[in-house]
Amino acid sequence: MSSPNARACVMGHPVAHSRSPMIHGYWLKKLGIAGAYELADLTPEAFPGFLTGLAAHGYVGGNITVPHKEVAFKLVQRMDEAARAIGAVNTVWLENGVLNGGNSDTHGFISNLDDRAPGWNVPGCRAVVLGAGGAARSAVYALASRGVEVAIVNRTHGRAQELVRQFGARASAHETAGLPRLLASADLLVNCTSCGMTGKPPLEIDLAPLKAGAVVYDVIYVPLETGLLEQARRRGHRAVDGLGMLLQQAGFGFRKWFGGDPKVTPELRALVEADIRAKTAK
Ligand code: NAP
């Protein structure tokens, strides 16, 4: 599928802040692949023509970021099951001239959990997912696909109910008041709200009722150590941060465009961690 000197790009508006060139650049160098990964800043007016003419622009594929994911969903000629379920395409690749779309967040979400908390999926595993936005959608889909029972708790209850309607039997929606009871029987707690992220309100949660041995996963990666993860570690829970999700999801596209086996190494983590710390330092 990949070709020598293949070029891929991240399409968004703006895109200057994207860490994708750093991540893909690391793997291209590490694996000795003569390819390139570039930034493509495209206005909403320019994006559709650029995406449908990707080959003419010299690209074999790329990532799609804000605000183009839903438009990409409408424009790809074929899509994978995750993209269809989530309703957004964030990775595209050309296959025999056909524009394919996928959603790498589900892959990133679950691969990171497998990698950082092996054995998390205990028999009869129950998860509590906080939030009902884009990240929660990927998380609920990925967890339900693994046979996990997912309780969704969101500030706006109607959005949690919407996810349940979509993902069916394994998911249920709950009011915030029911959280302590849900935590008592949870094997996994995932924060998919933006609370706890730098510049956003903190996540108000008391982990005292959380089942012993439960894994706590925060998809936020700025900061790397959120208040939730700090509290979880203090209480003796295994804690998983969101950086690995970002890195693992990038591997999904890399394999499509360039081939090879891009690994999330401690060296790569350290590189991106240093960049996050430098940019969030006062
Ligand atoms: P989103 O679609 O805007 O959803 C935000 C969610 O947070 C909603 O459920 C919202 O609840 C909830 N929320 C926001 N402010 C709140 C508050 N003050 N109190 C309670 N709930 C609040 O955002 P998203 O795309 O899902 O992203 C969520 C987080 O995940 C972000 O921090 C993002 O950086 C992170 N993320 C990480 C990765 C990764 O690769 N690690 C990938 C994607 C996203 P309502 O429905 O009530 O508004």
Side-chain angles (χ1 to χ4, degrees):
M1 200 181 306
S2 63
S3 52
N5 299 311
R7 288 168 64 216
C9 60
V10 52
M11 293 160 260
H13 188 63
V15 283
H17 63 284
S18 172
R19 293 193 169 89
S20 296
M22 172 186 283
I23 299 166
H24 293 291
Y26 169 86
W27 281 326
L28 286 168
K29 195 165 167 212
K30 198 84 188 161
L31 298 169
I33 296 174
Y37 187 95
E38 298 160 0
L39 294 173
D41 194 333
L42 302 160
T43 61
E45 294 73 37
F47 175 69
F50 187 90
L51 181 65
T52 51
L54 206 55
H57 287 93
Y59 292 108
V60 298
N63 289 119
I64 319 276
T65 185
V66 178
H68 303 318
K69 291 186 209 181
E70 284 77 19
V71 175
F73 177 79
K74 294 190 184 123
L75 290 177
V76 295
Q77 294 164 287
R78 202 157 55 201
M79 70 179 78
D80 69 11
E81 205 192 308
R84 185 168 290 111
I86 287 156
V89 159
N90 71 356
T91 306
V92 292
W93 63 99
L94 286 161
E95 223 174 283
N96 303 320
V98 175
L99 186 63
N100 282 259
N103 192 299
S104 61
D105 278 344
T106 54
H107 167 83
F109 173 85
I110 210 81
S111 303
N112 185 38
L113 191 53
D114 288 342
D115 185 42
R116 309 293 283 188
W120 66 270
N121 195 355
V122 295
C125 185
R126 288 180 180 196
V128 173
V129 170
L130 307 176
R137 192 168 278 269
S138 295
V140 173
Y141 171 75
L143 291 169
S145 305
R146 287 283 188 94
V148 175
E149 295 248 342
V150 189
I152 306 165
V153 178
N154 191 47
R155 176 179 62 179
T156 310
H157 189 59
R159 291 186 80 195
Q161 288 174 313
E162 214 174 280
L163 284 196
V164 172
R165 273 194 292 280
Q166 187 175 357
F167 296 112
R170 296 208 168 273
S172 55
H174 303 264
E175 302 280 357
T176 311
L179 194 54
R181 181 184 48 79
L182 293 167
L183 291 180
S185 60
D187 302 293
L188 172 68
L189 169 67
V190 188
N191 176 38
C192 288
T193 73
S194 44
C195 297
M197 189 178 166
T198 301
K200 302 279 183 191
L203 181 72
E204 306 283 356
I205 189 168
D206 177 7
L207 296 185
L210 184 61
K211 186 174 170 182
V215 171
V216 178
Y217 185 178
D218 200 331
V219 301
I220 288 172
Y221 58 89
V222 181
L224 287 161
E225 184 77 350
T226 59
L228 172 67
L229 295 187
E230 234 169 72
Q231 191 186 158
R233 280 187 226 278
R234 226 184 312 119
R235 292 189 158 275
H237 296 279
R238 284 195 288 171
V240 178
D241 66 47
L243 178 58
M245 174 173 168
L246 175 77
L247 302 177
Q248 295 282 359
Q249 70 76 31
F252 175 88
F254 191 97
R255 289 182 184 89
K256 305 272 186 206
W257 316 314
F258 305 116
D261 186 17
K263 294 249 195 296
V264 175
T265 59
E267 188 184 23
L268 175 60
R269 257 191 84 90
L271 189 74
V272 182
E273 271 189 41
D275 185 64
I276 292 172
R277 287 190 210 285
K279 291 194 175 132
T280 49
K282 298 282 166 316

